Amino acid sequence: MWKIKIADGGKDPYIWSTNNFVGRQIWEFDPNYETEEHRAEVEKAQKKFWENRFKFLREKNFKQNIPPVQIEDEEQITYDKATAVLKRSVNFFSALQASDGHWPAENSGELFFLPPLVMCLYITGDLYNQFSIEHRKEMLRYFYCHQNEDGGWGLHIESHSSMFCTTITYISMRMLAQGLSSSAINKDSLDNGLKWIHDHGGVLTVLSWGKAWLSMLGLYDWSGVKPLSPEFWLLPPYLPMHPAKMLCYCRHVYMPLSFLYGKRFVTKTTPLLLELKDELYNQPFDQIKWSSTRHLCAKEDLYFPPPFLQELLWDSLYLFVEPFLNLWPLNKLRQRALEKTMKLVHYEDENSRYVTTGCIEKVLCMLACWVEEPNGDAYKKHLARVPDYIWIAEDGMKMQSINSQSWDATLAMQALIAADLTDEIGPVIKLGHDFLKKSQVDTDPHDNFKSYYRHISKGSWTFADKDHALQVSDCTAEGLKVCLLLSMMPPEIVGEKLDPQRLYDAVNIILSLQSKVTGGVTPWEPPGAGSWIEKLNPIEFLEDIIVEHEYVECTSSVLEALVLFKKLYPGHRKEEIEHSITIATRFIESIQMPDGSWYGNWAICFMYGTWFALRGLAAVGKTYYNCATMRRAVEFLLRTQQADGGWGENYHSCTNKVYTPFGDNHSNLVQTSWAMMALIHAGQMERDATSLHRAAKLLINSQTEDGDFPQQEICGVFMRNCMLHYALYRSYFPLWALAEYRRHVLLH
């Protein structure tokens, strides 16, 4: 059976860490692990496809010993009953904590994460070495579980079918099925997937990333791909589209991808690839005019339609630039560009201990390293970090976007602190505090990092763990806030407080990521080029992906942290911080939607954005009575509350940028928690607490037998159109909301 290993680097000579692997969470198959009874329990859970974590809880011998609570129709919620519910939730959530202080969980949901890894390892010849039969069975299970009724696979687990994901999933399933017994292969699933592809015109309409992967497999032709000239990395820095001004995630995808394009890399043919070449198309492969397919994109895949001028640019590069770059003497420039590109790839790999920025970047960088040197150390170091991305649950084995250990820990710790049960869970708080202290990045990127287009990172917290090494503004702000809160509590209970210099380093990071023009805060690096460059976005299914943008969530997190820091350290960079608070407040107020909400960029959607906005505004003293912005926000929240007392928002809110409730107007407990805390920040209990009592009643009556809360719809998002599953949100956000309710409403 499968068991999770915490903070374990194993014995692989090609892996190393900056903090002894604190935060690392990997899965290992052990045929002798657990009893027959427990295996039957796993199989039962797989069939039910619930997202629970009973394996980890069983290892901790967890038993819920606090009786469940129910609030009847006309019954009022008492302080004692709220406390009992809160204790049950805290008791359960504390048991989920790992030995190094973090809370292991998956961060997944996108169906285009795993297939590139499978295709990459198939190309390099390591698919069957890296993944055992048991691994491959679980990966197939994941694909089976998330196949739509029409036979296709969507961009994410709740999405309509797309040509991109159906194509790469079908190919990956064929690769994974090699060597497995027929009983492990669902032939109907494969047949239905292939039928969907044919019924929708064949793979010629797959979007640009799909075209690139198919070209590398010899299932497409590079002439049908938008030019990804590596010479781009040789451009002078004063140009507005210079790589240094790109969003780091976009930059780190197109570095290795442009290398592979520049090499026109195609893997060696295999019998399976020959079969796929015949299966995937509705016409003979050798009769296709590839250059005419460059701009084809299935309507199911198209979210960001490229303007005509962008298509003209790609065609011009293909017709008038690329042919000359492959001829002497300009081919010397191509060689120089390829060398520069791989130099950048290796820098990013080394700086992140080969974790890289995220799963898409990870696979492309790994493949580029293998193409450059198949037996090289760089590729072997990449292989050693593949387990960091793999997660197994009841729906099978998947690839994560990037682990979310630090992000989850900062929010979970605030929820536990708000519960005000420190006397009972002191060791849990102390261990979580220790994890955050060990996870703070203590150095900037090595060498002359600015020449590699990197920003400072010393003092930051990442989204994942310390080894990830990529600074994030809101993760840093939330981490700073937790450390400041704990510095006001007894050290014998919560541990020694963070050294002031490390707090100053965190402040330095978040100040560096604030726009001096708008006052808004970007996630990873300071604002670079203007937003007009987004018109050149080549990624048909993502939006706002080319350059950094300021976001309400990042700005609010920073605002709240700086207000608390200023209170505790009033003399440190006083004028800068006061100015930062002023312009951040102005930014948040300026981007409020006409209906009173804020668009949420990292979760679904207007409830999330509004919660963050009101957190920040409340921190600077804005109230319902002195701030019209607050009043409009409260009106929005009260107007959208559902009949059952909660709030529920469909993921189409993100894609359409208009508040969209679920079709049947049901509520989502995580979104209810956000809305509930937003109203508490706005002081709703001082006017009429009815809406808060109704929401609290829904949360209380929804608590499960073990003290957790049920898994509902997906709640996370990135770049407008890609939904993410944060497995822990369903646990700590209702806990947090009930903690704030008990403290601010029942004690009011």
Side-chain angles (χ1 to χ4, degrees), residues 133-134 136-138 140-141 144 173 176-190:
I133 288 175
E134 296 301 328
R136 287 183 279 141
K137 284 180 180 178
E138 291 299 329
L140 286 171
R141 183 198 302 279
Y144 300 151
M173 290 174 71
L176 291 168
Q178 297 289 292
L180 296 184
S181 64
S182 58
S183 62
I185 303 168
N186 186 332
K187 189 175 184 301
D188 288 342
S189 176
L190 286 166

Side-chain angles (χ1 to χ4, degrees), residues 615-679:
R615 283 178 77 193
L617 293 177
V620 296
K622 300 288 185 179
T623 70
Y624 181 88
Y625 299 106
N626 67 17
C627 178
T629 304
M630 276 271 202
R631 290 194 291 276
R632 287 193 295 271
V634 169
E635 290 166 7
F636 165 76
L637 292 167
L638 294 179
R639 188 171 62 248
T640 54
Q641 189 171 24
Q642 303 290 353
D644 62 4
W647 284 261
E649 193 174 358
N650 193 296
Y651 75 81
H652 292 298
S653 284
C654 302
T655 55
N656 299 333
K657 303 171 192 172
V658 176
Y659 168 72
T660 309
F662 292 111
D664 59 357
N665 292 321
H666 73 270
S667 294
N668 177 285
L669 299 179
V670 174
Q671 293 165 347
T672 296
S673 302
W674 296 333
M676 191 174 165
M677 288 191 285
L679 284 173

Side-chain angles (χ1 to χ4, degrees), residues 428-463:
V428 174
I429 299 286
K430 187 173 186 178
L431 192 59
H433 190 193
D434 185 62
F435 168 75
L436 287 178
K437 288 186 287 187
K438 289 177 179 176
S439 298
Q440 188 182 22
V441 178
D442 53 11
T443 61
D444 288 324
H446 61 273
D447 298 336
N448 182 14
F449 58 86
K450 290 186 178 180
S451 67
Y452 294 92
Y453 323 135
R454 285 301 299 264
H455 187 56
I456 59 173
S457 58
K458 184 179 180 181
S460 68
W461 276 271
T462 73
F463 187 69

